[in-house]
């Protein structure tokens, strides 16, 4: 028996055996990784599929509708067969080769965005690539000009269910939406400077508490965005560069689509690497205790921007209203949400004598079931009920 055991040990620990076992282990790991990459490409991220399954069940129970489980690319390709001017919604992008920072999507396009409620958000972009009926830009007097990120943009709903469209309907006057996904305070200020239209009565600045200050940290590292802070007259003249921007964005979109359908994407394990970044990110919320807190330095930089926004509004004889948007995580019982900058931001706004509308207190705190303001009651953006209530609060706002 002992002799047999020793014989096995000699075989196992011989150099050739070690190399062979290591090779087998390496090949197994290599194959396993690519099998998982293929799984992610075919079925998507596990946590996303879990949410879609729950949403699908809830949607069917609610109104008998089926959840659209097509990928965004599939929807894009389906629509493009009947409309050549179909695009994917793009975030604000810095294009190094062209040394230009764009803040909108592809102009005059049927644009595919997202699916948070079972139905894809698809909208016709205006002449500058924003989420508006193009004719709004031809009006001489603007009642509302909205600045903000994806919540202002209207993510998760179709027109006319976004905030800007509801304001347009309530006031029977012109309202322009300059929101886009991923914008932070400095990019929002740049958008205001680039696309502000004369004879605007009300500038509505919508601040989202969950990530606006975090976005600002990134924005302060970009040389073009910093110019907007340093020089009051700085401009990229984006309105005059519509054709150039259109070409840049279409080239960018085509390069992204080409990569998505290439073997290179699979070889580089793009989906797996992105998935690992998601689950290692502190904002992935595997931990249900959420604490939003940014440094005093970032808050000071935000105050500088808001001061400039206020000065800009006053110099153009526009009213400025600061709208504080709460994170949906506040109202989901599975999370423990805390924002250490909440009161600080509100006091900052009041200190600058800017009109303030706190949606957290004005709407969400008054709701018996705040989850009814979210897409199928899940974390994400607001649904059509949430957006409508916010628009009504803005419309009915009376300065102190």
């Amino acid at each position: 028996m002992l002799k047999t055991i020793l014989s096995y040990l000699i075989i196992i620990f011989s150099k050739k055996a070690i190399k062979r076992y290591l090779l087998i282990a390496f090949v197994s790991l290599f194959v396993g990784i690519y099998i998982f990459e293929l799984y992610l490409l075919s079925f998507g991220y596990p946590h996303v599929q879990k949410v879609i399954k729950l949403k699908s069940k809830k949607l069917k129970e609610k109104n008998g509708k089926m959840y659209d489980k097509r990928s965004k690319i599939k929807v894009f390709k389906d629509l493009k067969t009947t409309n050549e001017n179909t695009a994917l919604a793009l975030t604000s992008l810095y294009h190094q080769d062209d040394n230009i920072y764009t803040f909108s999507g592809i102009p005059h396009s049927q644009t595919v965005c997202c699916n948070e409620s079972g139905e894809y958000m698809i909208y016709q972009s205006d002449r500058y690539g924003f989420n508006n009926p193009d004719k709004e830009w031809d009006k001489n007097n603007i009642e509302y000009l909205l600045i903000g990120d994806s919540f202002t943009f209207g993510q998760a709903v179709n027109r006319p269910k976004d905030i800007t469209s509801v304001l347009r309907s309530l006031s029977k006057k012109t309202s322009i939406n300059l929101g886009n996904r991923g914008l932070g305070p400095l990019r929002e200020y740049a958008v205001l400077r680039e696309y502000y239209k004369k004879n605007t009565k009300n500038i509505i600045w919508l601040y989202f508490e969950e990530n606006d200050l975090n976005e600002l940290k990134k924005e302060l590292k970009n040389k073009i965005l910093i110019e907007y802070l340093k020089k009051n007259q700085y401009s990229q003249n984006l309105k005059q560069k519509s054709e150039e921007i259109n070409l840049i964005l279409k080239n960018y979109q085509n390069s992204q689509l080409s990569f998505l359908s290439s073997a290179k994407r699979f070889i580089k394990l793009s989906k797996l690497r992105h998935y690992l970044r998601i689950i290692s990110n502190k904002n992935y919320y595997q931990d249900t205790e959420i604490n939003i807190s940014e440094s005093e330095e970032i808050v000071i930089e935000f105050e500088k921007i808001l001061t400039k926004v206020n000065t800009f509004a006053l110099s153009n004889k526009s009213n400025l209203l600061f709208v504080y948007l709460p994170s949906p995580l506040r109202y989901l019982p599975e999370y423990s949400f805390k924002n250490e900058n909440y009161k600080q931001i509100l006091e900052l706004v009041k200190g600058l004598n800017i009109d303030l509308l706190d949606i957290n207190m004005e709407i969400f705190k008054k709701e018996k079931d705040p989850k009814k303001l979210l897409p199928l009651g899940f974390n994400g953006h607001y649904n059509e009920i949430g957006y409508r209530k916010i628009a009504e609060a803005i419309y009915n706002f009376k300065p102190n």
Side-chain angles (χ1 to χ4, degrees), residues 92 101-104 130 137 145-148 177-180 183-197 205 225 228 236 238-239 312:
S92 168
Y101 215 124
T102 60
F103 304 118
S104 60
F130 292 102
W137 288 100
L145 185 73
L146 280 73
I147 305 290
N177 181 355
L178 293 181
N180 196 16
L183 294 181
L186 185 47
R187 278 175 287 182
E188 290 163 2
Y189 174 52
V191 167
L192 178 63
R193 291 259 296 271
E194 292 287 348
Y195 294 100
Y196 176 84
K197 192 168 171 59
W205 184 282
L225 297 179
Y228 287 99
Q236 296 184 81
L238 298 183
K239 272 188 175 182
F312 182 91

Side-chain angles (χ1 to χ4, degrees), residues 32 41 97 125 147 156 160 181 191 242 262 270 301 365 374 395:
L41 286 169
D97 293 342
S125 61
I147 305 290
R181 301 180 306 148
V191 167
S242 291
S262 68
S270 299
E301 292 299 325
K365 285 287 187 181
L374 308 178
Y395 178 71

Side-chain angles (χ1 to χ4, degrees), residues 206-222:
L206 295 104
Y207 172 92
F208 181 55
E209 69 173 348
E210 192 178 314
N211 57 26
D212 267 18
L213 293 183
N214 188 49
E215 290 294 337
L216 178 55
K217 284 194 297 186
K218 304 172 190 173
E219 293 170 337
L220 290 168
K221 298 175 183 178
N222 183 271

Side-chain angles (χ1 to χ4, degrees), residues 91-257:
T91 59
S92 168
L93 294 166
Y94 174 50
H95 306 267
Q96 288 183 315
D97 293 342
D98 302 283
N99 195 33
I100 189 171
Y101 215 124
T102 60
F103 304 118
S104 60
I106 296 173
H108 294 304
S109 297
Q110 177 181 230
T111 309
V112 182
C113 182
C114 62
N115 178 4
E116 292 188 27
S117 58
E119 178 185 2
Y120 268 90
M121 176 189 177
I122 301 168
Y123 65 96
Q124 182 68 26
S125 61
D126 64 25
R127 66 192 66 177
Y128 301 120
F130 292 102
N131 184 12
N132 297 290
D134 189 66
K135 64 182 181 181
E136 293 297 291
W137 288 100
D138 296 327
K139 310 291 179 62
N140 292 325
N141 297 296
I142 310 301
E143 185 71 14
Y144 297 104
L145 185 73
L146 280 73
I147 305 290
D149 64 2
S150 53
F151 286 81
T152 306
F153 166 71
Q155 185 151 327
V157 301
N158 282 302
R159 291 204 309 252
K161 297 173 183 177
D162 59 290
I163 297 170
T164 308
S165 296
V166 177
L167 281 171
R168 196 177 294 130
S169 175
L170 291 171
S171 66
K172 309 300 180 188
K173 296 179 180 179
T174 303
S175 297
I176 291 181
N177 181 355
L178 293 181
N180 196 16
R181 301 180 306 148
L183 294 181
L186 185 47
R187 278 175 287 182
E188 290 163 2
Y189 174 52
V191 167
L192 178 63
R193 291 259 296 271
E194 292 287 348
Y195 294 100
Y196 176 84
K197 192 168 171 59
K198 286 184 178 181
N199 300 321
T200 292
K201 184 177 180 180
N202 301 292
I203 296 172
I204 313 299
W205 184 282
L206 295 104
Y207 172 92
F208 181 55
E209 69 173 348
E210 192 178 314
N211 57 26
D212 267 18
L213 293 183
N214 188 49
E215 290 294 337
L216 178 55
K217 284 194 297 186
K218 304 172 190 173
E219 293 170 337
L220 290 168
K221 298 175 183 178
N222 183 271
K223 62 181 182 180
I224 289 182
L225 297 179
I226 288 295
E227 291 298 305
Y228 287 99
L229 268 183
K230 289 181 178 179
K231 304 171 186 176
N232 290 334
Q233 302 304 316
Y234 176 77
S235 175
Q236 296 184 81
N237 298 310
L238 298 183
K239 272 188 175 182
Q240 287 72 46
K241 295 179 179 177
S242 291
E243 290 186 10
E244 179 184 343
I245 291 172
N246 187 20
L247 181 61
I248 289 171
L249 293 180
K250 283 186 175 179
N251 286 338
Y252 174 80
Q253 176 180 269
N254 290 338
S255 68
Q256 293 299 301
L257 288 169

Side-chain angles (χ1 to χ4, degrees), residues 257-275:
L257 288 169
S258 176
F259 176 72
L260 289 174
S261 60
S262 68
K264 185 178 179 182
R265 181 193 186 197
F266 176 71
I267 294 169
K268 292 182 71 172
L269 298 170
S270 299
K271 202 79 172 176
L272 176 59
R273 288 190 290 115
H274 186 247
Y275 180 57

Side-chain angles (χ1 to χ4, degrees), residues 309-362:
V309 171
N310 194 28
T311 301
F312 182 91
L314 291 170
S315 65
N316 285 282
K317 298 180 181 180
S318 297
N319 303 317
L320 175 62
L321 174 62
F322 184 95
V323 181
Y324 191 101
L325 301 178
S327 167
L329 294 171
R330 280 180 178 267
Y331 304 99
L332 295 172
E334 59 266 36
Y335 298 106
S336 175
F337 182 88
K338 183 179 180 182
N339 183 353
E340 295 182 3
N341 298 118
Y342 174 51
K343 291 182 179 179
Q344 188 180 17
I345 296 299
L346 297 185
E347 290 302 317
L348 186 158
V349 176
K350 292 175 185 175
L352 293 172
N353 294 315
I354 297 172
D355 288 330
L356 170 66
L357 176 60
D358 182 2
I359 298 300
N360 181 48
M361 298 301 295
E362 189 68 25

